[in-house]
Amino acid sequence: MRIASWNVNSLAVRLPHVLTWLETHQPDVLCLQETKLADDKFPCIECTAAGYQALFCGQKTYNGVAILSKRPALDMVCALPAFEDPQKRLIAATVDGVRVVCVYVPNGQSVDSEKYRYKLAWLTACGAWLQAELERYPKLAVAGDYNIAPEERDVHDPKAWEGQVLFSAPERAAFQGLLALGLKDSFRLFEQPPASFTWWDYRMNAFRRKMGLRIDHILLSAPAAAACRASTIDIEPRRAERPSDHAPIYVDLEI
DNA sequence: ATGGTAGAAACTCTA
């Protein structure tokens, strides 16, 4: 079973990229973030034609998440139950016995902002909810844009980024808190190339200059991690015309 | 020096 995740930064703009990528890589599940689409605008017909059903939880202009799957996705949840929030950042469903959680963690903007405090509060609420999900669903994957680089090797210039949003100590501690629930960072289950990143700023030719961060992750419960055979970043779509600023990532599970 | 780029939507906010 191949489970993928991609922050597309507007599905309206990136739909051709997504359809091409589905055709090439044939994931069983694709988690999307930053669809930026109200639910009545979601491209269901195009997804069906590509062989995928879609569950989505969106809003106009900002945020928005979706789960595309070849097989039926059941028991959808579309928000953190105990966290009142108008922003559409989480959707979960079960596909072939695997609980798939798609997250778009708040960016945080800057460490002194209200948005940063919201990011940390959101992560606390998400962790508490995931703890209960892990008890209900042994095979669980949490895929998405975490907006956190966990370690120095996940940042092109850790000294420059130290203390900045996406790499500050409280954010990294929150990420470690998710791992402490028993989740594994799938990417680090395997030897990986140095300077492996998933996001490059559109500005300053960051992609060409390899100035990236690894902020998109697929975390796995212990039984899912035990079945994981590979965890991959596909940077090819970042080279395309009008790319998303994020690369798609995926895991291959022997399930 | 606080820039720059992209997207949505509206002439600004978010990332």
Side-chain angles (χ1 to χ4, degrees):
Chain A
M1 181 179 212
R2 175 168 286 180
I3 301 174
S5 176
W6 197 359
N7 179 324
V8 291
N9 185 19
S10 168
L11 186 56
V13 173
R14 236 64 71 187
L15 182 61
H17 304 66
V18 169
L19 295 174
T20 298
W21 198 83
L22 288 172
E23 176 69 25
T24 306
H25 293 86
Q26 294 292 319
D28 296 285
V29 180
L30 174 59
C31 298
L32 298 172
Q33 303 88 38
E34 282 205 271
T35 56
K36 299 187 178 181
L37 285 177
D39 289 344
D40 63 336
K41 309 285 191 203
F42 199 91
C44 295
I45 293 166
E46 291 86 345
C47 290
T48 303
Y52 289 83
Q53 65 146 249
L55 296 177
F56 40 83
C57 184
Q59 61 188 105
K60 197 169 73 169
T61 310
Y62 301 122
N63 311 311
V65 284
I67 295 176
L68 309 187
S69 61
K70 291 191 182 191
R71 304 249 304 135
L74 312 171
D75 302 320
M76 177 176 84
V77 168
C78 193
L80 293 170
F83 190 80
E84 190 66 39
D85 188 1
Q87 301 189 25
K88 305 301 189 185
R89 297 183 172 278
L90 183 143
I91 186 167
T94 304
V95 181
D96 285 336
V98 178
R99 189 65 170 170
V100 177
V101 181
C102 171
V103 294
Y104 174 46
V105 176
N107 172 282
Q109 196 165 65
S110 65
V111 295
D112 56 0
S113 72
E114 181 55 45
K115 292 185 179 68
Y116 180 83
R117 291 190 285 279
Y118 161 69
K119 178 180 194 172
L120 295 178
W122 194 94
L123 284 161
T124 299
C126 187
W129 177 76
L130 284 173
Q131 187 163 30
E133 287 286 290
L134 280 161
E135 285 169 22
R136 279 184 69 184
Y137 303 99
K139 289 180 283 186
L140 182 142
V142 191
D145 176 4
Y146 287 73
N147 273 311
I148 300 171
E151 299 178 47
E152 292 199 351
R153 58 181 166 164
D154 299 315
V155 180
H156 70 93
D157 184 350
K159 287 208 164 42
W161 279 85
E162 192 63 55
Q164 300 296 309
V165 74
L166 312 183
F167 192 53
S168 71
E171 291 166 86
R172 293 162 67 188
F175 188 86
Q176 291 304 315
L178 298 179
L179 300 185
L181 299 174
L183 293 165
K184 306 291 184 193
D185 179 352
S186 64
F187 194 70
R188 295 304 179 197
L189 295 174
F190 307 94
E191 192 170 324
Q192 300 289 359
S196 288
F197 307 127
T198 66
W199 170 82
W200 303 259
D201 201 302
Y202 284 124
R203 297 166 286 189
M204 309 294 285
N205 276 315
F207 181 66
R208 188 180 55 72
R209 297 161 67 191
K210 306 185 190 303
M211 296 168 63
L213 274 66
R214 192 175 71 93
I215 57 175
D216 300 83
H217 310 291
I218 301 175
L219 305 189
L220 298 173
S221 65
C228 186
R229 300 293 172 257
S231 181
T232 307
I233 301 168
D234 178 15
I235 69 165
E236 284 309 313
R238 188 62 176 81
R239 304 186 203 281
E241 286 291 314
R242 281 192 97 185
S244 168
D245 45 352
H246 294 253
I249 61 175
Y250 59 93
V251 291
D252 291 303
L253 307 180
E254 198 169 296
I255 291 175

